[in-house]
Amino acid sequence: MMGYENQSYEEAHLYASREEMENLVLDEPSPSSNGHSPSGHHPSSPPFTSSDDPLLPSSSSFLHSQNPNSSSSSSSAFNSFLEPPSYADVIFTSFDSSNGDANGHVNANSDPGSSASRPEYLKISVADPQKEMDMSGSIVPGGNTYYTYLITTRTNFPDFGGSEFSVRRRFKDVVTLSDRLSEAYRGFFIPPRPDKSVVESQVMQKQEFVEQRRAALEKYLRRLATHPVIKKSDELRVFLQVQGRLPLQRTTDVASRMLDGAVKLPRQLFGESAVGAVDISEVVQPAKGGRDLLRIFKELKQSVTNDWGGAKPPVVEEDKEFLEKKEKLLDFEQQISNVSQQAELLVKAQQDSGETMGELGLAFVKLTKFETEEAMFESQRVRAGDMKNVATAAVKASRFYRELNAQSVKHLDKLHEYLGMMLAVNSAFSDRASALLTVQTLLSELSSLHSRIEKLEVASSKIFGGDRSRLRKIDELKETIRSTEDAKCCAVREYERIKENNRNELERLDKEKHDDFLNMLKGFVVNQVHPPFLFNWPTFHFGMFQNYYHIQKVNDSFCMIS
Amino acid sequence: MLTTQQRSASGSSQSPRSPSAQPFLSVSVTDPVKLGNGVQAYISYRVITKTNLPEYQGPEKIVIRRYSDFVWLRDRLFEKYKGIFIPPLPEKSAVEKFRFSAEFIEMRRQALDIFVNRIASHHELQQSDDLRIFLQADEETMERARFQETGIFKKKPADLMQIFKDVQSKVSDVVLGKEKPVEESNPEYEKLKHYIFELEDHLAEAQKHSYRLVKRHRELGQSLSDFGKAVKLLGACEGNAIGKAFSELGAKSEMISVKLQNEAHHLLMNFEEPLKDYVRAVQSIKATIAERANAFRHQCELAETIKLKEINLDKLMLIRSDRVGEAEFEYKELKAESEEATRRFETIVRLMNEEIVRFQEQKTLDMGIAFHEFAKGQARLANSIADAWRSLLPKLEACSSS
């Protein structure tokens, strides 16, 4: 959301060469082009992007982003052309290890240098977006174009059976991966995938959008790679390793699911009881996304009964600890959202501040040049000298603040990350809730089946010799009860499993949150105290008539500034 | 004559160091008070004069003045001392007046104080009667003088014509930047004019940015404060060590926010205002340039008229007309007028030459101080911010070890 983006982005540009810096001759009093005022202040570009600007190399487009998540991801792609000469001498303190990458976690997944030394690593990078045509007979002539990304993995996990490999995937594949993970890992805090953002893809420049998406995908995959359970998942492995088409089941859209469900429904309602029972394999999935419309109706009815019915549901959420933690997390979510928002505003204000400082410096540069050229008096030359000092200092300060801000953004980005994580938490909690609902529904069903049998038995016992049809019905019902019991057991197991997952994840979250935030705070504060390069406002002597006027008046030593 | 400081401490009177025997004239504009209601509200200032000059009612005299009184003084001086760069006044600002923010009032007071002191320390201007009236007369006399000045009924018809001509030439020549055919052919002067006009543009831009910088400081301060508050809430929600760390961060942010607001004010008063003053000074010079052009034109016109009169006179003398006497008389009158006009013009040129040197030197000094204040302020701010953050580090360390 700030900074300059080089068209040919490469990570190497984060560390500019010394030569590039040397070319920025700040001490030259007369820049090459004269009289070019920063023409109009474009809202989305910094004032000195014109190539005439004597003090800065020509920088190209200005990455302007609305989405907070992607803005933070683009800042990790932030290319600072204006690296100061002493960048090579930067001192990074030991606990600022998360500098430069999104995941600063315990297992150094993102640390490029440590490939060999660590016991287990899984390093992923996303690059090289390419446009491709969808040849599979689409209706629209000219086909459907989409972008694929080269996903390169380096790992020493035994499951992968290889150490380095690449695949090409498109965004749809990522959506599939994400959906499959949600299904397979209910109750886990699964990092949320990047948005589909259809609107933005229309609004933004294609180039920018693709780059933004690439960065977001990389961030997402790396986060998956740091999740202790998910990084071992088959789904992820298959996604990263299997060439060609992604062999994961495609997510079907809502319409076709509903269609399938509607087909089954009549048989469920009127057909044999076996079909009417809940499919065991489906019990472990939530009703909502599935094809079983009847089940959806039943669970809906159950949830309404839970909320509005007089009686208490058969089983309720009783885990006090869980409920407490949930409350706390709700509060946390609110606070972190607030802080995240303020942090964005803060960063913007810092950026504006730095920019204006730079503009001021430039205005004085021009003034200096003007005074020097048109000087008729010695006093003018002296003044021009003073002005040049201030101008140079202001421009340097501007760059300093910009760099400082870029680093701040990287640190504060953690806040955004946790905001995203809350989505994962909420979805894990709703996994739990829907599993519970399934259990409740099945229990209600069982009890209603039992009472139906009772009624039938009572009715049939009144008929002498037994009621054939009723007895048959009772047998059918008993059959149904058996399969429903099985389903119920399955559902209960699933529910307990999800509860367990929740518990573990909450523990993990607590610990990681503590570590992450501590690192973030340290990183942020250290950055302010030991910034990437040093800058001091210069000392200088003013005017030539120091003796003429009363220097002793109020101020201390004019000449030395601490 | 001793000089006085250009900037006073806020509200307090200033007194240059001076041996008691030397003649001195020191003025301070203080104590702004809002008077009147609604649309007619205005600010009155206390003007304190300390002097040992015989012409003044010494050693100290206090009068109450308002902005229009200062305008009167400036206009009178401008009339009488053509060629001298009259110190500039702060803008009229019809809008802000109604809001009368404390900051606006303080900025105006400071500018007025500087204005009067510059007059008092100018070797020619300080001798002006109008200055004396301004500093000494009681409020009623002042008001009368002010009303008189603005009334045009006092003027003679010839004066009125001259006024109209002046206005016309002023507008068409200088303000609209059109070149009139009758111009001095002085290359150095041309250079100076060109310099002044361009200088104004450059300075205005620098001033604009410096004002923006003040605003940015304030905005940054505000957002840092908001951030701090939000972080503190987060800390309260988290509890335990991290919560404490957040609370500390929040508190520090709020503290730094205050520093930023302070620096913003300092930047405004000690950097942006001097820059604005510089711009105004250049504009005042432009007015003097216009005066010089008028004087030159006047002189040329008279010279032209004389030539015609001469020819006419010779013609009359040749035909032995009885109007010769009359014509001779007129001719002599014109000659005197022409000499007067030439003298006036030459005075302006001489004064301007002196003034420009003085102006350049003064400005170098003024800007030197302003730059110094700017750098000092920024350095101070940066250091105190770094210190504040630094003090947070051990607390963070304590959190991680716990």
Side-chain angles (χ1 to χ4, degrees):
Chain A
M1 67 191 190
M2 36 161 274
Y4 302 102
E5 186 77 25
N6 194 0
Q7 292 288 12
S8 53
Y9 162 80
E10 261 173 73
E11 232 172 334
H13 275 198
L14 273 172
Y15 307 96
S17 61
R18 279 200 94 98
E19 288 92 358
E20 225 162 66
M21 269 320 295
E22 242 83 288
N23 288 340
L24 297 174
V25 183
L26 280 175
D27 290 320
E28 257 291 290
S30 49
S32 48
S33 61
N34 167 34
H36 283 275
S37 42
S39 50
H41 189 16
H42 300 294
S44 61
S45 62
F48 35 104
T49 48
S50 75
S51 52
D52 313 348
D53 186 316
L55 295 178
L56 306 166
S58 50
S59 28
S60 28
S61 63
F62 179 66
L63 193 65
H64 192 25
S65 157
Q66 310 285 356
N67 183 354
N69 281 323
S70 32
S71 73
S72 37
S73 62
S74 70
S75 68
S76 66
F78 168 77
N79 173 21
S80 170
F81 246 132
L82 309 169
E83 297 297 327
S86 56
Y87 198 83
D89 313 323
V90 159
I91 306 159
F92 286 122
T93 50
S94 54
F95 48 69
D96 192 32
S97 56
S98 56
N99 193 49
D101 241 317
N103 316 314
H105 266 349
V106 182
N107 45 355
N109 281 326
S110 40
D111 188 349
S114 71
S115 353
S117 49
R118 286 276 160 172
E120 276 198 340
Y121 65 90
L122 177 64
K123 174 151 169 49
I124 306 174
S125 61
V126 178
D128 192 25
Q130 275 184 19
K131 209 171 192 181
E132 289 186 21
M133 288 275 247
D134 187 358
M135 293 308 190
S136 57
S138 56
I139 299 172
V140 178
N144 189 23
T145 65
Y146 57 91
Y147 278 85
T148 59
Y149 304 84
L150 184 69
I151 302 177
T152 310
T153 314
R154 286 209 303 274
T155 178
N156 64 356
F157 283 9
D159 290 343
F160 282 89
S163 60
E164 184 165 340
F165 38 86
S166 306
V167 294
R168 279 213 160 261
R169 296 280 182 241
R170 55 184 292 189
F171 189 73
K172 252 196 208 163
D173 296 333
V174 175
V175 175
T176 307
L177 170 67
S178 166
D179 291 343
R180 293 289 84 74
L181 285 175
S182 305
E183 283 168 19
Y185 291 92
R186 293 176 84 196
F188 283 95
F189 299 164
I190 308 171
R193 63 157 169 79
D195 291 332
K196 285 184 186 163
S197 60
V198 175
V199 176
E200 276 192 4
S201 71
Q202 310 298 341
V203 168
M204 293 173 72
Q205 297 283 40
K206 209 54 184 177
Q207 196 68 0
E208 283 174 27
F209 176 72
V210 169
E211 171 51 32
Q212 200 181 73
R213 179 158 274 189
R214 185 211 61 80
L217 289 179
E218 190 172 81
K219 211 172 198 180
Y220 170 62
L221 291 173
R222 284 184 178 170
R223 280 211 207 109
L224 290 181
T226 59
H227 192 291
V229 175
I230 289 182
K231 73 183 180 193
K232 301 280 176 71
S233 69
D234 288 336
E235 288 85 357
L236 184 62
R237 185 173 51 77
V238 157
F239 179 88
L240 291 175
Q241 195 169 36
V242 176
Q243 296 289 338
R245 248 186 94 221
L246 182 67
L248 292 176
Q249 183 193 355
R250 279 278 295 275
T251 320
T252 41
D253 56 298
V254 180
S256 57
R257 267 189 274 123
M258 294 295 273
L259 221 51
D260 284 348
V263 165
K264 257 178 51 185
L265 191 59
R267 288 171 66 209
Q268 285 175 304
L269 291 173
F270 303 114
E272 293 146 21
S273 50
V275 181
V278 186
D279 190 345
I280 289 187
S281 65
E282 287 199 4
V283 149
V284 295
Q285 285 304 312
K288 274 229 179 84
R291 290 160 214 266
D292 192 340
L293 291 182
L294 187 61
R295 181 177 160 210
I296 292 176
F297 294 151
K298 285 184 186 165
E299 290 199 356
L300 187 61
K301 183 173 134 200
Q302 179 65 38
S303 78
V304 169
T305 311
N306 287 348
D307 290 340
W308 299 104
K312 213 173 92 155
V315 161
V316 281
E317 184 56 73
E318 273 175 342
D319 189 345
K320 275 222 178 67
E321 201 186 309
F322 167 73
L323 288 169
E324 264 173 33
K325 284 208 172 140
K326 191 166 171 208
E327 271 299 307
K328 257 193 126 196
L329 275 174
L330 219 70
D331 194 19
F332 172 76
E333 186 176 343
Q334 204 171 12
Q335 299 310 329
I336 200 128
S337 162
N338 195 21
V339 173
S340 190
Q341 205 175 12
Q342 294 304 333
E344 265 201 46
L345 292 173
L346 175 64
V347 165
K348 174 91 183 29
Q350 282 180 340
Q351 181 191 346
D352 287 345
S353 206
E355 262 182 36
T356 303
M357 180 68 85
E359 286 169 358
L360 182 66
L362 275 189
F364 275 120
V365 164
K366 287 195 305 189
L367 193 49
T368 306
K369 184 169 187 296
F370 170 71
E371 290 265 40
T372 317
E373 279 176 359
E374 312 262 341
M376 295 173 286
F377 298 94
E378 178 55 28
S379 56
Q380 275 177 291
R381 279 182 236 280
V382 171
R383 190 163 67 231
D386 285 345
M387 220 179 271
K388 191 180 75 164
N389 283 334
V390 166
T392 317
V395 174
K396 277 192 185 151
S398 163
R399 287 189 204 168
F400 168 76
Y401 288 128
R402 188 166 40 228
E403 181 58 32
L404 195 70
N405 209 23
Q407 302 295 328
S408 296
V409 166
K410 286 183 189 161
H411 294 296
L412 293 176
D413 191 44
K414 260 291 171 255
L415 295 168
H416 286 125
E417 214 178 280
Y418 270 85
L419 199 55
M421 190 50 78
M422 294 313 295
L423 280 174
V425 171
N426 283 332
S427 122
F429 287 171
S430 68
D431 284 342
R432 182 189 182 120
S434 69
L436 177 62
L437 185 60
T438 305
V439 170
Q440 289 170 334
T441 312
L442 288 172
L443 283 172
S444 298
E445 186 144 329
L446 278 173
S447 90
S448 83
L449 283 169
H450 277 298
S451 65
R452 271 168 74 185
I453 287 181
E454 249 184 65
K455 284 202 189 106
L456 282 175
E457 281 177 343
V458 164
S460 99
S461 72
K462 293 200 176 126
I463 297 178
F464 187 73
D467 185 341
R468 231 69 205 267
S469 68
R470 281 209 179 95
L471 285 172
R472 212 181 344 131
K473 191 76 184 152
I474 289 174
D475 283 336
E476 279 177 11
L477 286 177
K478 282 200 173 139
E479 185 63 39
T480 308
I481 284 182
R482 263 198 294 278
S483 62
T484 309
E485 274 283 344
D486 287 341
K488 184 209 78 172
C489 288
C490 238
V492 167
R493 264 202 310 273
E494 176 70 5
Y495 175 61
E496 291 298 327
R497 190 179 73 90
I498 291 178
K499 275 169 76 174
E500 184 64 21
N501 291 342
N502 275 173
R503 198 170 12 245
N504 293 335
E505 288 284 79
L506 279 170
E507 233 179 81
R508 186 178 69 91
L509 179 70
D510 268 340
K511 168 118 200 339
E512 280 182 6
K513 191 157 46 107
H514 180 273
D515 292 342
D516 278 349
F517 282 149
L518 198 58
N519 280 335
M520 174 188 86
L521 288 174
K522 278 188 191 162
F524 177 74
V525 172
V526 165
N527 183 45
Q528 300 285 340
V529 176
H530 299 301
F533 63 95
L534 293 176
F535 168 77
N536 280 313
W537 283 93
T539 66
F540 59 90
H541 310 261
F542 69 94
M544 57 184 184
F545 300 108
Q546 294 170 14
N547 305 318
Y548 194 102
Y549 289 91
H550 304 284
I551 304 174
Q552 312 93 303
K553 186 187 72 154
V554 172
N555 286 323
D556 36 40
S557 50
F558 272 97
C559 302
M560 296 310 293
I561 305 174
S562 57
Chain B
M1 283 304 162
L2 285 175
T3 59
T4 53
Q5 276 72 30
Q6 134 187 353
R7 288 172 301 124
S8 59
S10 50
S12 58
S13 64
Q14 55 182 30
S15 44
R17 231 159 275 170
S18 52
S20 43
Q22 284 271 46
F24 71 91
L25 175 66
S26 139
V27 189
S28 61
V29 178
T30 69
D31 200 21
V33 172
K34 183 171 168 216
L35 297 175
N37 295 313
V39 186
Q40 293 174 335
Y42 67 95
I43 306 275
S44 75
Y45 304 87
R46 205 196 284 199
V47 180
I48 304 172
T49 310
K50 292 197 175 90
T51 178
N52 63 358
L53 295 177
E55 305 88 47
Y56 284 80
Q57 310 161 24
E60 182 177 294
K61 174 92 185 189
I62 302 181
V63 294
I64 305 291
R65 293 287 178 257
R66 55 185 288 186
Y67 180 78
S68 7
D69 296 330
F70 288 83
V71 174
W72 171 88
L73 177 61
R74 195 266 316 267
D75 290 345
R76 299 287 302 177
L77 293 176
F78 187 70
E79 272 287 312
K80 293 228 179 87
Y81 292 90
K82 299 202 169 131
I84 295 184
F85 302 157
I86 309 296
L89 275 176
E91 287 80 20
K92 197 115 196 21
S93 114
V95 177
E96 266 196 69
K97 197 166 88 129
F98 293 108
R99 282 188 289 145
F100 278 155
S101 71
E103 190 174 84
F104 169 76
I105 292 174
E106 173 55 23
M107 280 175 16
R108 182 170 263 207
R109 187 209 61 77
Q110 186 174 293
L112 292 174
D113 185 284
I114 291 172
F115 166 75
V116 180
N117 273 286
R118 280 191 179 136
I119 296 172
S121 52
H122 190 285
H123 60 93
E124 280 217 40
L125 295 177
Q126 72 192 183
Q127 296 167 33
S128 131
D129 289 335
D130 294 311
L131 177 67
R132 213 183 27 257
I133 294 174
F134 177 81
L135 292 177
Q136 308 272 293
D138 60 67
E139 281 72 33
E140 286 124 36
T141 316
M142 189 71 233
E143 207 173 310
R144 247 182 294 128
R146 201 167 19 106
F147 278 131
Q148 264 188 353
E149 182 62 20
T150 54
I152 60 171
F153 305 106
K154 186 174 150 254
K155 307 271 182 167
K156 286 183 285 188
D159 287 347
L160 276 174
M161 276 314 298
Q162 193 54 48
I163 290 174
F164 285 134
K165 275 199 200 147
D166 283 350
V167 168
Q168 191 183 47
S169 56
K170 206 178 278 188
V171 167
S172 65
D173 285 0
V174 179
V175 177
L176 293 184
K178 220 167 51 149
E179 305 284 28
K180 269 212 90 181
V182 184
E183 279 271 319
E184 300 177 48
S185 56
N186 181 344
E188 247 191 59
Y189 183 60
E190 279 305 306
K191 197 171 172 214
L192 176 70
K193 277 197 289 181
H194 173 79
Y195 167 76
I196 290 293
F197 276 76
E198 263 209 54
L199 182 65
E200 188 189 2
D201 291 335
H202 281 113
L203 284 178
E205 195 185 326
Q207 186 267 328
K208 184 180 77 170
H209 288 303
S210 75
Y211 183 70
R212 238 190 248 160
L213 188 65
V214 171
K215 256 194 7 196
R216 297 288 189 226
H217 274 65
R218 293 206 167 126
E219 287 161 6
L220 184 57
Q222 184 59 51
S223 68
L224 198 55
S225 165
D226 292 339
F227 176 73
K229 287 198 180 71
V231 168
K232 272 162 87 170
L233 285 175
L234 181 62
C237 150
E238 278 289 288
N240 68 29
I242 277 292
K244 203 161 168 299
F246 274 125
S247 299
E248 299 277 357
L249 181 75
K252 274 293 176 241
S253 301
E254 288 182 322
M255 189 181 104
I256 291 174
S257 157
V258 171
K259 290 190 204 283
L260 276 163
Q261 298 293 1
N262 290 342
E263 184 55 35
H265 183 75
H266 175 260
L267 198 63
L268 180 71
M269 300 310 262
N270 297 305
F271 183 67
E272 192 269 346
E273 278 305 289
L275 260 179
K276 195 130 100 157
D277 176 70
Y278 198 167
V279 174
R280 292 183 196 127
V282 171
Q283 285 164 348
S284 169
I285 295 178
K286 276 166 72 177
T288 306
I289 288 177
E291 280 301 315
R292 172 164 163 165
N294 283 343
F296 180 73
R297 212 183 4 88
H298 194 217
Q299 177 203 31
C300 288
E301 276 168 13
L302 280 175
E304 284 288 313
T305 317
I306 283 184
K307 276 209 203 90
L308 292 174
K309 275 281 193 249
E310 241 180 46
I311 294 171
N312 194 31
L313 186 62
D314 287 342
K315 213 171 30 170
L316 288 178
M317 280 168 79
L318 224 53
I319 63 172
R320 291 184 200 284
S321 162
D322 42 332
R323 292 221 304 273
V324 168
E326 203 185 305
E328 251 178 12
F329 179 70
E330 275 175 20
Y331 178 73
K332 278 209 184 72
E333 255 194 11
L334 266 177
K335 209 71 208 258
E337 244 186 88
S338 166
E339 273 157 29
E340 173 69 26
T342 307
R343 214 174 18 82
R344 254 188 256 134
F345 174 71
E346 280 166 4
T347 307
I348 291 181
V349 172
R350 177 179 56 83
L351 285 174
M352 270 188 84
N353 287 338
E354 287 169 15
E355 285 285 290
I356 200 72
V357 175
R358 204 181 54 89
F359 170 75
Q360 293 288 23
E361 285 175 4
Q362 180 66 52
K363 276 314 163 197
T364 300
L365 190 72
D366 290 345
M367 289 318 292
I369 296 176
F371 290 143
H372 168 76
E373 286 296 321
F374 175 67
K376 192 171 76 157
Q378 290 297 309
R380 185 176 51 212
L381 180 68
N383 286 333
S384 73
I385 289 180
D387 284 342
W389 289 125
R390 197 175 290 123
S391 71
L392 199 51
L393 278 179
K395 297 188 177 137
L396 290 180
E397 285 294 342
C399 284
S400 62
S401 56
S402 63

